[in-house]
Amino acid sequence: MDLTDPLNAEQAAGTFDELPNPVSTSQVHDSAVSRAEKFERPRMSNERQDDESPPSKRVKLESPLSESIKFEANGDLSPKTTPSERQKGVAPIKAEYLVYPPGGRKDKGATINGADTNGHVPHVDARDRPGRGGGRKKEKGSNTSRQFGSSRDKKGLCLSRATQPEFSPDECKFGDGCRFEHDLRVYLEKWKREDLKTFEGKCPIWEVKGRCNMGWKCRFLGSHMRERETEDGRKELVLLESDHSNDAMETFGADFDGADVVNSLSSRLRDDLMKKRVKNPKADAYLDWLKTKGKDPSQQVMNGEAQKNIANENDGNGEVASEVKDLRAEYTEAPFLPSEKRRLYYGPETPILAPLTTQGNLPFRRLCVELGAQLTYSEMAMSLPLLQGQKSEWALMRAHKSELPPPRYTPNSVVVAYDNSTDLKFGAQIAANKQDLAIKATEVLTQVCPQLRDINLNCGCPIDLVYRSGGGSALLDNQAKLERILSGMNAVSEEIPITVKIRMGTKDGKPTAKKLIDRLLLGGKEASGLSSGVAAITLHGRSRQQRYTRNADWEYISECAESISSINREADGLADTTREMDNRHRPATCKVYFIGNGDCYSHVDYYNHLEKAKVDSVMVARGALVKPWIFEEIEKGQYLDKSATERLAIYEKYARYGLETWGSDEMGVGTTRRFLLEWLSFAYRYVPVGILEHLPPSLQDRPPAWKGRNELETLLGSANYKDWIKISEMFLGPATEEFKFEPKHKSNSYEIEAEG
């Protein structure tokens, strides 16, 4: 679709008369933001003007610059009035872009309705809507009743006809009792919706694969079908295949599903999982070992006074000493030690996209990788549904081929035994409330999905459903259980390393992460000096009770980083002590990496966290949802003032990737629309840096009602979900009459429910 074509834009959105000329938008190299950074960078490097200083002090330090010049969105510098001081919690938008300028009279009705007197829809923060504060309390679990309506043909085409020529369909096993349409021409004329004109009318799947597995149901059918004349003079409808179709099949196999996808579960293996025909020999052996020979020999027979006597086996208590000797003879090591895993690396050049429930799907990760994300994770998958072969859960494990190349690697020093050429970008995250489920799911993942960088255990998910079952952040309160789970996962994951993501704790003001980290690295009392073997730990600087309210506590993250660094440095100093570390049970590099997570919304935040908290890398979550080009900013080290046209092109690319992933039929278009809208429920919160008075922007700031530099920018910042649907219609055509969408996030904080 030509995004600069005003006719297309007007027809799809119906909101603005003409899209902006891309030439007129500000460019990165000469934008006001770039010039502002030239003044801000010296201030950032000055220790006396460090970001830790109070906001009031920072305003005073910036005031000489503010009084002399004002930066305009078009990059011009001209004398203007002094900007207002930055208010905590409020996005500092320039006065000329405010719907209600300072000192002006606010029209409350317009704010509630989301439109100004000119009919424009300004940006209004969702948390400032009526009912907040003293209004009625939100009902818990209301998201479970969300309905999206139907995105299906009025009458579907029978699968026996779906991909076959008109005159040679497969046999339908239901015969005349089939409830789907068998007459192809009747289906095309009566039941199938008209073809989409977007993407130049070409099927995204067909362009990648050379054939469209949606067949006659494709909404771009006209691009890969024709009518031919048979020998007897009849006209037959047939589907077309391109020359590279066979090449794609040879490369990716029969299960190749449209995008260049790996880690797909075959239908046969899924059936075996559902019928419990898949065995877990390693997990079963480890669990048996853990119950018997895996226990510390001393702990199996000693308690009370007997534990004292074991200090000297020849102290007269020959019976106990003899029994311990027998058990020590029976003791066997756990299979496959952590030191034998594939080597990992995390560094300043490897920003990480967090595992994001709902929004962290394959098309979004693919988009973020193109924009500079070096490491990605699947959405959180539950262990039990994986073991049961549930299709929806296994779909989360699929990765695009762009997530397979190694991450960027420019270390300051040589990393022991690390081979960047064999590394990957994509890792899987799972959650479990029982040890056997986590261990068995890990073994199955290792067998089915070899293209995994690591398997991450989620111990930070705050939602009630997971927490009350004993999974997610509930494991933070049962550290011995968590340690056993991680050790067991390490024992069965073959060469794939195990990592973990945690929170500060479950309750505000009572952090437990530091104690937990110490235990995971050194082992608890019952572990006999054997650590969990995790290769990396990610800490989200909030408690479970806090969820996503208030700022993340990076001071506490810094304390934990120092603790890990100290343990990594002083491991040799523990020799000949009761807490001596067994290097065989440590990661391959003998170093546990530490990643910080929380409130990273710009390259300034990213590098500040690296410098001050001393973490190895930073995991980006909501910041990437609001502006996925944050990874591009991190790579270039500057703010990028993306124009509205550039942002719209990013949404168009996501829609294309969604169709490649979920299909180009009516159902696939509906699924793509739904997930695009889910993303727009975050993306609309982006306030262009070109209309901000102060930098850096903050993820927690609430913007007052504002208008963009053009009609399209105003539309993209609209908080009205009906405008999000209009945006989706630019790429996916009009939604069906039955389609519905209700915004997910109605809480008092910008929340991702299951991102730990």
Side-chain angles (χ1 to χ4, degrees):
M1 176 180 181
D2 185 1
L3 299 179
T4 60
D5 187 345
L7 296 178
N8 288 341
E10 182 178 3
Q11 181 181 4
T15 304
F16 46 88
D17 299 328
E18 187 174 13
L19 284 172
N21 187 344
V23 179
S24 66
T25 59
S26 57
Q27 302 298 319
V28 173
H29 65 276
D30 63 351
S31 67
V33 177
S34 299
R35 299 190 187 184
E37 281 191 287
K38 295 178 182 178
F39 290 92
E40 287 223 286
R41 283 174 180 166
R43 179 188 65 77
M44 290 168 57
S45 62
N46 191 327
E47 293 181 359
R48 293 176 299 172
Q49 299 179 10
D50 192 84
D51 285 344
E52 293 181 354
S53 57
S56 58
K57 188 174 182 179
R58 290 178 58 195
V59 170
K60 291 180 181 178
L61 291 170
E62 295 169 350
S63 60
L65 174 64
S66 302
E67 292 175 0
S68 59
I69 56 176
K70 174 158 183 163
F71 301 110
E72 292 297 320
N74 59 8
D76 295 334
L77 300 177
S78 57
K80 296 291 179 181
T81 58
T82 304
S84 58
E85 292 188 357
R86 185 165 189 169
Q87 293 180 281
K88 185 176 181 180
V90 179
I93 296 177
K94 294 177 182 179
E96 58 265 38
Y97 298 107
L98 294 175
V99 175
Y100 312 108
R105 184 174 180 180
K106 183 175 179 180
D107 185 350
K108 296 183 179 180
T111 303
I112 295 174
N113 296 329
D116 60 19
T117 54
N118 296 323
H120 300 154
V121 182
H123 179 294
V124 181
D125 193 284
R127 295 170 292 182
D128 294 328
R129 292 174 181 167
R132 300 292 174 197
R136 70 179 179 86
K137 201 171 183 179
K138 176 193 172 186
E139 296 180 6
K140 291 185 178 181
S142 60
N143 283 333
T144 59
S145 61
R146 298 173 74 213
Q147 300 292 330
F148 300 98
S150 173
S151 295
R152 299 174 182 269
D153 294 321
K154 292 183 179 179
K155 185 175 182 180
L157 180 66
C158 179
L159 289 178
S160 64
R161 271 73 173 162
T163 58
Q164 302 300 316
E166 181 182 8
F167 296 157
S168 53
D170 293 336
E171 182 180 355
C172 176
K173 61 181 180 180
F174 298 102
D176 295 337
C178 182
R179 61 189 180 93
F180 295 104
E181 182 63 61
H182 281 202
D183 190 316
L184 178 58
R185 292 184 183 268
V186 171
Y187 167 77
L188 296 177
E189 295 173 6
K190 189 174 181 181
W191 305 121
K192 183 181 177 295
R193 295 185 69 191
E194 70 281 359
D195 277 7
L196 295 175
K197 305 301 181 183
T198 56
F199 304 112
E200 300 179 350
K202 297 179 180 179
C203 174
I205 296 178
W206 193 87
E207 288 190 305
V208 172
K209 188 177 179 181
R211 55 185 287 268
C212 178
N213 51 357
M214 296 296 105
W216 299 108
K217 297 187 290 183
C218 178
R219 292 290 306 279
F220 300 88
L221 177 61
S223 65
H224 54 77
M225 67 156 283
R226 70 182 180 90
E227 189 176 54
R228 70 181 180 185
E229 185 173 347
T230 61
E231 295 180 354
D232 57 2
R234 293 187 300 168
K235 302 291 185 179
E236 181 185 25
L237 296 174
V238 294
L239 296 169
L240 302 179
E241 294 187 6
S242 69
D243 295 335
H244 67 278
S245 139
N246 293 330
D247 296 336
M249 290 297 292
E250 291 178 4
T251 303
F252 299 99
D255 290 327
F256 179 56
D257 53 3
D260 298 347
V261 172
V262 297
N263 293 339
S264 295
L265 183 70
S266 67
S267 56
R268 179 177 179 179
L269 183 53
R270 181 168 59 248
D271 187 59
D272 288 343
L273 285 169
M274 294 175 65
K275 296 180 179 179
K276 298 183 179 181
R277 292 197 294 252
V278 176
K279 304 299 180 182
N280 305 104
K282 292 184 178 179
D284 293 339
Y286 179 83
L287 292 170
D288 290 341
W289 171 86
L290 195 64
K291 293 176 182 178
T292 56
K293 298 179 181 180
K295 291 185 179 179
D296 177 9
S298 303
Q299 299 296 328
Q300 293 185 51
V301 297
M302 293 187 302
N303 53 65
E305 290 299 321
Q307 199 163 10
K308 297 179 181 178
N309 295 333
I310 195 59
N312 184 354
E313 295 181 5
N314 298 318
D315 62 357
N317 193 344
E319 183 179 350
V320 174
S322 176
E323 193 171 354
V324 171
K325 287 181 179 179
D326 292 340
L327 286 169
R328 283 178 178 166
E330 296 178 6
Y331 179 79
T332 57
E333 289 282 0
F336 220 81
L337 303 177
S339 60
E340 299 168 338
K341 304 291 183 184
R342 185 195 304 129
R343 278 65 168 164
L344 294 181
Y345 170 76
Y346 298 88
E349 71 274 32
T350 60
I352 308 165
L353 175 65
L356 304 166
T357 293
T358 304
Q359 285 84 7
N361 46 59
L362 187 150
F364 183 76
R365 297 196 312 269
R366 181 179 174 185
L367 190 64
C368 287
V369 167
E370 288 187 7
L371 293 170
Q374 294 302 304
L375 300 174
T376 62
Y377 280 95
S378 71
E379 301 177 54
M380 182 186 72
M382 302 301 296
S383 295
L384 182 58
L386 286 175
L387 294 173
Q388 293 173 336
Q390 289 190 16
K391 187 176 181 179
S392 58
E393 213 72 11
W394 276 100
L396 305 179
M397 298 295 107
R398 298 191 304 167
H400 187 259
K401 70 175 184 180
S402 62
E403 300 177 89
L404 301 185
R408 192 182 300 119
Y409 178 58
T410 56
N412 295 326
S413 59
V414 177
V415 179
V416 178
Y418 172 69
D419 184 2
N420 180 254
S421 64
T422 62
D423 204 354
L424 306 168
K425 286 185 172 70
F426 178 72
Q429 187 186 67
I430 64 173
N433 60 349
K434 295 180 180 179
Q435 178 176 308
D436 60 330
L437 294 179
I439 297 174
K440 291 179 180 180
T442 300
E443 182 177 359
V444 173
L445 279 176
T446 303
Q447 296 171 352
V448 178
C449 305
Q451 306 284 5
L452 292 179
R453 184 178 200 258
D454 65 304
I455 299 176
N456 182 273
L457 180 66
N458 184 307
C459 301
C461 179
I463 63 173
D464 293 338
L465 182 64
V466 177
Y467 178 78
R468 289 173 181 170
S469 69
S473 55
L475 292 172
L476 301 176
D477 290 333
N478 197 337
Q479 298 185 1
K481 177 182 178 181
L482 172 57
E483 185 180 9
R484 291 194 302 270
I485 289 176
L486 291 170
S487 298
M489 292 172 65
N490 253 313
V492 302
S493 64
E494 297 185 0
E495 68 169 7
I496 300 178
I498 300 298
T499 59
V500 63
K501 189 169 188 286
I502 63 175
R503 281 181 177 248
M504 289 171 53
T506 56
K507 298 181 180 179
D508 281 349
K510 296 181 179 180
T512 59
K514 197 171 181 181
K515 180 180 177 182
L516 173 60
I517 290 172
D518 184 71
R519 182 182 186 121
L520 294 180
L521 268 64
L522 300 175
K525 293 180 180 179
E526 65 275 14
S528 302
L530 305 182
S531 71
S532 63
V534 292
I537 298 174
T538 301
L539 175 60
H540 184 173
R542 291 183 174 90
S543 67
R544 186 257 171 183
Q545 184 179 357
Q546 185 182 352
R547 294 210 172 195
Y548 298 89
T549 59
R550 304 190 302 277
N551 293 328
D553 190 345
W554 277 91
E555 289 186 7
Y556 186 78
I557 294 177
S558 178
E559 293 176 11
C560 294
E562 176 56 34
S563 177
I564 288 183
S565 297
S566 177
I567 293 175
N568 284 331
R569 289 193 307 265
E570 301 173 6
D572 293 338
L574 298 173
D576 301 325
T577 69
T578 57
R579 304 199 74 184
E580 178 180 2
M581 300 182 68
D582 187 339
N583 284 340
R584 297 173 302 163
H585 292 267
R586 300 181 67 196
T589 57
C590 288
K591 172 185 177 179
V592 177
Y593 287 96
F594 186 58
I595 297 102
N597 173 224
D599 296 344
C600 184
Y601 191 40
S602 67
H603 68 284
V604 175
D605 293 336
Y606 182 85
Y607 289 110
N608 278 346
H609 295 331
L610 290 177
E611 180 181 355
K612 296 178 182 178
K614 306 299 181 184
V615 294
D616 293 301
S617 187
V618 177
M619 182 176 281
V620 186
R622 292 177 295 162
L625 289 173
V626 177
K627 59 169 188 179
W629 57 91
I630 184 175
F631 300 106
E632 193 177 357
E633 291 185 347
I634 291 170
E635 181 180 355
K636 296 181 178 180
Q638 66 176 14
Y639 294 101
L640 298 179
D641 188 12
K642 295 283 187 182
S643 68
T645 305
E646 290 174 313
R647 291 166 58 197
L648 193 66
I650 291 175
Y651 302 148
E652 180 190 35
K653 184 174 288 189
Y654 177 88
R656 174 184 288 274
Y657 292 165
L659 294 173
E660 290 181 19
T661 302
W662 295 304
S664 55
D665 63 339
E666 186 63 37
M667 185 178 296
V669 170
T671 302
T672 301
R673 190 190 309 277
R674 179 218 159 172
F675 283 109
L676 174 59
L677 294 174
E678 297 279 15
W679 178 27
L680 290 175
S681 71
F682 280 92
Y684 87 90
R685 297 167 185 165
Y686 172 71
V687 180
V689 291
I691 70 174
L692 293 176
E693 283 188 331
H694 301 283
L695 299 174
S698 172
L699 191 61
Q700 301 288 36
D701 283 352
R702 302 182 185 183
W706 59 275
K707 56 187 177 183
R709 291 166 288 191
N710 51 57
E711 296 283 355
L712 179 57
E713 193 167 73
T714 302
L715 176 69
L716 297 182
S718 172
N720 190 331
Y721 76 94
K722 294 181 179 180
D723 286 329
W724 308 342
I725 295 179
K726 290 179 181 178
I727 294 172
S728 75
E729 290 177 341
M730 296 181 187
F731 320 117
L732 304 174
T736 62
E737 296 179 358
E738 296 81 11
F739 180 82
K740 300 176 183 177
F741 180 78
E742 179 182 351
K744 181 177 182 180
H745 305 289
K746 298 181 179 180
S747 63
N748 63 352
S749 67
Y750 290 160
E751 177 181 327
I752 307 171
E753 281 202 336
E755 188 277 305

